[in-house]
Each structure stands twice: as C-alpha cells, then as structure tokens.
Amino acid sequence: METISTFTKKLWCVKKQLILVLTPLILLPLIFGLPEKEGKCLYVVLLMAVFWCTEALPLAVTAMLPVCLFPTMGILPSKKVCPQYFLDTNFLFLSGLVMASAIEEWGLHRRIALKVLKIVGVKPAWLILGMMNTSAFLSMWLSNTATTAMMLPIANAILESLFGDLATLKENCKVKEETEGELLCRVSPTVPHTSKSEYQMKVWKGFLICIPYAASIGGTATLTGTAPNLILIGQLKSYFPECDLINFGSWFAFAFPLMVLFLILAWLWISFLYGGLNTRLCVKKQDERAQAEKKAEAVIDEDYRKLGPINFAEGSIAFFFILFAVLLFTRDPKFVTGWSTFFNKGYVSDATTGVIIVSILFFFPSQKPSLSWWFDSRASNTPYVPLLSWKKAQECVPWNIILLLGGGFAMAKGCEESGLAAWIGAYLQPIAQVPPAVAVMFITAFLACFTEFASNTATIIIFLPVIAELAMFVKVNPLYFMIPATTGCSFAFMLPVSTPPNSIAFASGHLLVKDMVKTGFVMNILGILSVSLAMNTWGRAMFSLETYPDWARPVNMSSTVTDIQFPSDSPFNLTSLP
C-alpha cells in the first residue's frame, strides 16, 4: 500500500509532463479518422484546449502553438497565422492597458475609490453597494485583478474600524455570546440565534466577496474591460468582415445597462445572504454602532486627506482618461453620426483612437509647465518627467494576455479556413429544435460553468468559433448566440480558482470554499437571467437580432451550410422569432 501511495505522489509531481507527452499521442486518431484538414485542425484545437485547461504549459506558450503546428500540418500558411497575433483588436487592448498603468502610476484610481466611499457612507448595506460600484467602475478600465488587489485593503481597513480586530472577532465567533447578540436579534430577524460577533463575521465575508464579483461584472461593460470581449470583436472580424455593429460605443450602450442590472441584483443577494440588508443598517440611530461607523468614516476621511489636493499629473490623467472614453464612445455610436465620418470610411478604428491618446501620455509633462522657468537662472534644470515612461508601461502590461488573444484569433482563423467549424456545425442539427431564447440561456449557462474550471479567455477562444457556426447553421443572427457566450465567460463566481480576483479574495484567509459556492451558484443564475433579458429586449432592438443578416454569409462558407432550409414550424425559422 505504501508503494502505491509513493508511486501516486511521484505521478502527481510530474503530472504536467505526463499531460504534455500523453495528450498528443491520445489525440492522434483524430488525424487519421476524420477528413484531412478538419481532423488536423481539431487535433490542434483539442491539444491547445487540454494544455490551456490543465496549464501544462504557460497559457501564452500554448497560444503560440498555431505558429508552428498550423503551417507544419498543412492547415494554414505561416503568413496567414502570424498576423493574427497583432490585429487592431490587440492594439485596442494594449492602449487600454497603457491607460490603466498611467492611472495606477499616479494613484487616480485610489482617489476615485475613496471619494465614492465618502459619498455612500459606511453603513454596511450602503458600503457594500459603494464597494461594488467602485470595483465595477474601475474594472471597466483597469484589470479585474488590479481592481480587486487595490480595493481589498481599503475594505479591510474600514471593517476593522467598524468591528475591531479580525483575529479577535474570529475568536469571539467560537463562543456564542447571546447577550451581545440581543440587540441585533431585535432589529434583524435574519440572525435570531447568532451572536453579535458571528453576525459581524458574516458581514465581513460579504464585504470581501462582493469586490471580486463586482470586478468581474464591471469588466463586461467595456470592450477593453476583459479579454473575452476583445476575442468576440476579433472573431467577428475574421468570420464576418462585413459586420460593423460592434464597436466600443455600441458595446457600451448594450453592456452597461446589463452591468447595472446585474450589479443591483448581486448587491441585493450578497446583502441579504451576509446580513447587510436590514432596516437597522440603513437608518441612523444613536447607539454603539453609530460610534463604530463614525470611526470608519474617519478612516476613509483620513486616507482621502493623505492624498492631498489633486495635483497636475492626476488632473492631466483624468482629462486624458475622459477624452479616451469620449472619443471611443463617439467614433461610430450607430444611433448618431460619429466623428469617424471626417475620415475615409473604414480607415479609423477604436485602436486608432486608443493609440493616439496613450501616445500623448509618453511626452505630456507630469508637472505644470511654467514660462518663468525659462527666465529663472536659479530654477532646477532637471529634465521634465512625462506622465508615463515606457519602462513603467512594460512592467504593467501583461504581454502574455496579448499573446493569448493572438492565439485565439489564430485558432479561429484555422477553424474557419480548414472548414472545422462548419464540419462541427453540421453535427449540431438537433439544436435546431430548441427555441432560440432557450438556446441563449443554455449557451450562457454552459460557458459560465465551464469557465469555473478554465481561463475565461481560453474558454471563449475554444467555443466561440463553434457557436458562430451553430448560429449560421440554424439561421439565427450570430450575435444572438455569440454575445451571451462572451458575457457568460465572465460569470465565474463559484470557485477560488475560477478567476484571479476570486483567488485574491480567497487568499485573505477569511473566506471558505463553501462561501463562494453558495454565493456564486445564485450569482450564476442571476447572470444567466440578466443576459437573457438583455438579449431579448434592448439587445434585440440595437442589433436587429430578429433577422438573419446578409453579413452572416461569409464568401468562403460551405454551400451545405448556407443553403439549409428549415420547415415553417421550426423554432429557428426566422418568422418564429417574435
């Protein structure tokens, strides 16, 4: 028995190496048992999927496999594969990351966070809402990971002012103190048999868990907020070059209301579950809790005071940040004429806008220029410091994610050119009998569950080409399936390993896996319902989802897919869509 145990431990130590060696061998029959090009492409796709899900290789290294495997296996020439790694979508993502690094460099994000918390106050129900609103807003522009890492220390400082030292609070939770909980029992029926310390510990958990969840929700509101959104844009341009419905402005107009709706539902659920939603916490009374709240307010005020008045660099970053957002929104918002009409049609993209703005950051001064400096011989002659240095940008930009995006675009190109996506789509005919609205919920739920165990970027890379082909096969507007799939990939709430923000919150040591599973399960359901509502209301009106568009008929698409007809009683017949 001891020998078996030792051998098992040895195998576990070399598990990644075993996956790297065995997976290519196990998948070999695909090359010989399927049509030539489709089989080879499926081999590469599944190989990358396994490596991504198990992280046998670093994600970025796996993303580069198409560069060597597609040309050598005769799937796609190198000159078609390599350009996929730096499309204009990647430049849009890069410009967003550079802007975020400038915001972090001068602490503007911390000023925004503390200002919002000063406004909402420190009563737990409102403070949870303030934390969630701030996290969601910041993650629209910064990475979800950076937002969570910044907000958690702020939350812990405020909670210590409200409830005291966490170690003491945990110790008190071991022994039920009914006398301390008597006041809370009278004002909050949700905690009739729980001590004051246990109740405070629940609220503490609610604060910690709301931040990563809000960061994940907020990232869906902008194209640059999370990688899956950019994967959607890149694959739309690859599959449907004539589709120009999705850009920064139109996506924001669709996704921001969805984010607000989901954020409100999430706040109600988290506040209810963790004891923050009761009348006592929303109404001022003169008691010991009011004194604790005053201490918490003092902590926020003191942290904000330490920032000092807004300086020239922060003001400049705020100006360029607002200009960055406004220009992206107004380039081609669809419902009104955008400023891109002043240039040749199709020449200016969101990437152009982003690169123009962030380029200015590298030479715009961080200190207010003064004419008197030129005439003052005693003034310092040190070179001026720009708002952002290239060294800082290099340190802050996650280049591995850019390679991961490129790998996704290369994989999609291979699936399209080899005919693999159409081949898989032909086997999805049974789904034609499922009503489209139900299919949307199923797709969102499936990807939300899958991304609990795999990177959201890898998940959308793997499934989006198949979903696009499915939509074409059943003659439904591809956006009707692809948008829910994309947003669903950001709804990973149930496990600590699902997303880096979840891992950061869990690493604090105050959350249990069961806390995240219990909270995240309902969060997933709320997310699926919110996406379904959005797609069937304002999404349908914005993107004309009730019709099958001309741009959804790629030139190189197989006639067996484009010519499929469905009977009049099929739920996927166009006339069946309300």
Side-chain angles (χ1 to χ4, degrees), residues 97-275:
L97 293 172
V98 172
M99 176 60 73
S101 65
I103 291 172
E104 292 178 39
E105 171 75 0
W106 295 102
L108 181 62
H109 58 319
R110 184 172 179 84
R111 184 179 294 276
I112 293 171
L114 291 172
K115 187 65 177 178
V116 171
L117 295 179
K118 280 172 63 70
I119 293 171
V120 299
V122 295
K123 297 189 183 302
W126 300 127
L127 193 51
I128 288 176
L129 180 62
M131 288 284 182
M132 294 183 73
N133 285 340
T134 307
S135 300
F137 174 76
L138 291 176
S139 67
M140 289 164 57
W141 314 101
L142 310 181
S143 75
N144 301 349
T145 306
T147 298
T148 304
M150 185 205 72
M151 291 298 296
L152 281 175
I154 296 175
N156 280 321
I158 295 170
L159 288 165
E160 286 180 2
S161 300
L162 279 171
F163 303 139
D165 180 66
L166 180 61
T168 305
L169 190 59
K170 282 184 174 180
E171 186 65 28
N172 291 340
C173 287
K174 294 178 181 178
V175 180
K176 290 191 175 183
E177 300 172 355
E178 298 296 340
T179 55
E180 286 187 350
E182 186 177 347
L183 175 62
L184 288 172
C185 293
R186 290 200 298 267
V187 298
S188 177
T190 62
V191 286
H193 303 295
T194 308
S195 72
K196 177 179 178 180
S197 296
E198 289 174 326
Y199 174 71
Q200 290 176 343
M201 194 66 216
K202 278 182 62 179
V203 174
W204 198 305
K205 287 183 177 182
F207 275 68
L208 296 182
I209 210 167
C210 78
I211 292 171
Y213 288 0
S216 295
I217 295 170
T220 63
T222 61
L223 280 183
T224 55
T226 187
N229 296 354
L230 293 162
I231 293 288
L232 170 67
I233 289 294
Q235 296 204 9
L236 275 176
K237 290 179 179 177
S238 175
Y239 266 80
F240 313 110
E242 300 300 318
C243 177
D244 63 348
L245 292 176
I246 304 289
N247 58 41
F248 197 97
S250 62
W251 178 266
F252 184 83
F254 165 77
F256 183 75
L258 171 59
M259 182 205 77
V260 172
L261 171 65
F262 192 11
L263 206 62
I264 292 172
L265 294 176
W267 170 62
L268 292 173
W269 166 240
I270 292 172
S271 296
F272 169 77
L273 186 63
Y274 290 97

Side-chain angles (χ1 to χ4, degrees), residues 271-289:
S271 296
F272 169 77
L273 186 63
Y274 290 97
L277 195 65
N278 61 70
T279 55
R280 170 62 196 90
L281 298 175
C282 301
V283 179
K284 290 185 178 179
K285 290 183 180 179
Q286 297 299 321
D287 59 11
E288 61 180 29
R289 183 64 60 84

Side-chain angles (χ1 to χ4, degrees), residues 461-484:
I461 287 171
I462 294 166
F463 288 105
L464 204 55
V466 177
I467 290 169
E469 200 65 41
L470 168 64
M472 290 188 288
F473 186 83
V474 298
K475 291 296 183 70
V476 167
N477 190 316
L479 294 178
Y480 193 57
F481 285 174
M482 296 175 77
I483 291 176

Side-chain angles (χ1 to χ4, degrees), residues 75 268 284 309 319-320 358 371 460 523 561:
I75 299 169
L268 292 173
K284 290 185 178 179
F319 170 76
F320 287 119
V358 298
L371 285 175
I460 199 65
M523 287 285 292
V561 177

Side-chain angles (χ1 to χ4, degrees), residues 301-356:
D301 289 340
E302 177 63 16
D303 284 349
Y304 192 80
R305 187 191 62 77
K306 288 178 181 178
L307 295 177
I310 188 167
N311 57 37
F312 181 78
E314 284 182 274
S316 300
I317 289 293
F319 170 76
F320 287 119
F321 169 63
I322 294 170
L323 183 62
F324 176 80
V326 170
L327 289 179
L328 285 173
F329 292 146
T330 57
R331 181 186 67 83
D332 185 18
K334 301 302 178 185
F335 53 88
V336 294
T337 302
W339 57 263
S340 62
T341 55
F342 294 108
F343 302 90
N344 292 339
K345 185 177 181 180
Y347 275 56
V348 177
S349 69
D350 287 334
T352 310
T353 309
V355 172
I356 288 173

